[in-house]
Amino acid sequence: MIELKVTGMTCGHCENAVNKALSAVPGVTRVVEVSHEKEKAVVEGNADLQALLDAIKEEGYSAEHAA
């Protein structure tokens, strides 16, 4: 699993946008969780980390690897 710290989300609509963006990244087999309250997103698969971060940033949110 890959855990990301995502900032800028404020509601369920934000979560849906991030979920959709992450789901479209090649290598993502499942989006486990997206939470604006926890400021995180968790995905399963072998997606490229930078591709995940870029997908979130394209939606207007900030993201980094939550190592």
Side-chain angles (χ1 to χ4, degrees):
M1 282 199 250
I2 302 170
E3 186 171 330
L4 306 167
K5 178 175 173 58
V6 183
T7 54
M9 296 187 296
T10 59
C11 63
H13 175 75
C14 299
E15 292 174 355
N16 290 338
V18 170
N19 190 321
K20 185 176 178 181
L22 291 173
S23 294
V25 175
V28 172
T29 56
R30 182 169 75 106
V31 177
V32 178
E33 177 183 17
V34 177
S35 171
H36 72 279
E37 293 171 340
K38 297 179 186 176
E39 294 189 330
K40 78 174 187 176
V42 181
V43 299
E44 285 183 351
N46 61 351
D48 178 69
L49 176 60
Q50 192 58 52
L52 295 170
L53 298 175
D54 290 346
I56 293 170
K57 289 177 183 175
E58 286 177 18
E59 292 298 320
Y61 307 101
S62 298
E64 63 186 44
H65 189 232

